[in-house]
Amino acid sequence: FFKKYLRSSCYFFYMQHFLKRFLSLIFPLSCLGCKAKSVLLCRVCFYTISLLKCQECPGCRCTSQYGEFCPRCSKLGGWYFDSLIVCSKYDKSGLLQKIIKNFKYKYSKELAVYLGDLLIRCVGKSESRPESPGRPELYTFFEQLFNEVALVVPVPLHKKRLKDRGFNQAKILAEFLGRPVCELLSRKINTPHQAKCSRQERLKNLENAFCVRPGFESVSKVVLVDDVCTTGSTLNECAKVLKEAGVSYVACIVLARGDGR
């Protein structure tokens, strides 16, 4: 049985490799930015994606050192996560939007390394220059959370969408933080793509969409990871479920945030 399984696995691997090579001949790779040949994204174009110079309050978007809520938005309530770190701006028709869309909807999983690198540039240390964190204040902020045994949790996909896509982009990004990733949450309802919905529709779609997996042992702090947020409704619903399960502090990090005002 084992030999038969091994042969079938090897056959699948070589067929997959052959199909990739075959398709690359018919549809040659070109950079998503400058159209240079033989690469999905060249390093020159990648480094044109700039990090945000400062973080903002998730509510009113005034300047906030660690992406925490300003006193006014804290008093208004309605938010369940405690901070939101955004790596870069999500410009319509911009390069970062193009990369993320190709990654998610055209299943270009190879782009994950660039997006993960962007995440590291924002809150982590580069492997080539471990002594130099991308944003020292954010690196210190996350190191403190991790030292307090915070769990890294990706925003989950519904099992149907996970089956169609073959991977959860949030989980892949979470793994670049270099900490154990724990899939605490599951998605009960296969909601429509949030990008196509209004703010009110997003809020309605996400009601009771998430739950904590059975056997969850409460922790004090969680780092919630997703690729993009606009209104923050998905992150907020996930944070709500985590807070109800006993988590005291939820810090969110996303690659980019759109303008959902």
Side-chain angles (χ1 to χ4, degrees):
F1 171 78
F2 179 73
K3 286 182 178 179
K4 186 178 178 182
Y5 173 77
L6 190 62
R7 282 198 300 270
S8 64
S9 298
C10 290
Y11 173 76
F12 176 76
F13 172 79
Y14 285 117
M15 280 300 296
Q16 193 178 41
H17 181 70
F18 171 77
L19 284 171
K20 273 192 173 182
R21 293 294 298 274
F22 179 70
L23 288 171
S24 67
L25 291 173
I26 301 174
F27 307 105
L29 294 177
S30 61
C31 173
L32 291 169
C34 65
K35 306 300 179 186
K37 302 298 180 185
S38 305
V39 64
L40 273 172
L41 183 68
C42 70
R43 301 304 290 182
V44 174
C45 289
F46 172 68
Y47 280 104
T48 62
I49 302 171
S50 58
L51 300 176
L52 290 183
K53 292 180 180 178
C54 59
Q55 294 300 312
E56 300 174 336
C57 164
C60 66
R61 301 201 182 189
C62 67
T63 302
S64 171
Q65 187 176 14
Y66 302 123
E68 296 179 305
F69 288 93
C70 66
R72 177 177 171 274
C73 291
S74 294
K75 286 180 182 178
L76 290 174
W79 297 99
Y80 295 92
F81 59 84
D82 299 278
S83 66
L84 172 62
I85 301 297
V86 181
C87 297
S88 187
K89 192 176 179 183
Y90 195 66
D91 289 320
K92 289 185 177 179
S93 303
L95 180 58
L96 183 55
Q97 185 196 53
K98 194 181 292 186
I99 295 167
I100 292 171
K101 282 190 172 182
N102 273 268
F103 177 45
K104 288 169 65 174
Y105 305 124
K106 295 188 178 179
Y107 316 117
S108 298
K109 201 174 177 182
E110 299 87 349
L111 290 168
V113 67
Y114 299 101
L115 298 174
D117 200 355
L118 183 66
L119 203 65
I120 293 166
R121 279 171 58 196
C122 184
V123 301
K125 289 182 179 179
S126 168
E127 289 184 7
S128 58
R129 296 184 62 197
E131 76 286 353
S132 176
R135 287 286 188 271
E137 70 282 2
L138 296 182
Y139 174 76
T140 304
F141 174 65
F142 275 95
E143 277 298 291
Q144 185 178 351
L145 285 177
F146 290 135
N147 289 338
E148 294 172 2
V149 202
L151 291 178
V152 180
V153 179
V155 170
L157 285 179
H158 188 268
K159 59 184 178 182
K160 184 180 184 301
R161 193 167 296 172
L162 181 61
K163 185 179 179 181
D164 292 341
R165 188 172 296 170
F167 61 90
N168 178 1
Q169 72 280 357
K171 183 184 177 185
I172 292 174
L173 293 172
E175 289 167 350
F176 280 95
L177 291 174
R179 304 285 174 161
V181 176
C182 187
E183 295 183 85
L184 291 182
L185 299 170
S186 62
R187 198 165 194 145
K188 299 185 293 181
I189 303 170
N190 188 19
T191 56
H193 288 294
Q194 291 292 87
K196 299 176 181 178
C197 301
S198 67
R199 179 177 176 82
Q200 292 304 317
E201 287 172 333
R202 292 173 198 234
L203 295 171
K204 187 176 180 180
N205 289 339
L206 291 166
E207 285 180 11
N208 303 314
F210 301 98
C211 66
V212 173
R213 292 184 184 276
F216 167 65
E217 294 183 8
S218 183
V219 293
S220 61
K221 299 188 177 184
V222 159
V223 175
L224 192 61
V225 182
D226 205 0
D227 55 344
V228 177
C229 89
T230 304
T231 62
S233 51
T234 300
L235 293 171
N236 204 43
E237 194 65 26
C238 288
K240 179 183 177 182
V241 171
L242 290 168
K243 289 284 181 79
E244 288 172 350
V247 176
S248 60
Y249 190 93
V250 179
C252 304
I253 178 166
V254 296
L255 288 172
R257 186 176 189 187
D259 191 353
R261 289 171 289 183

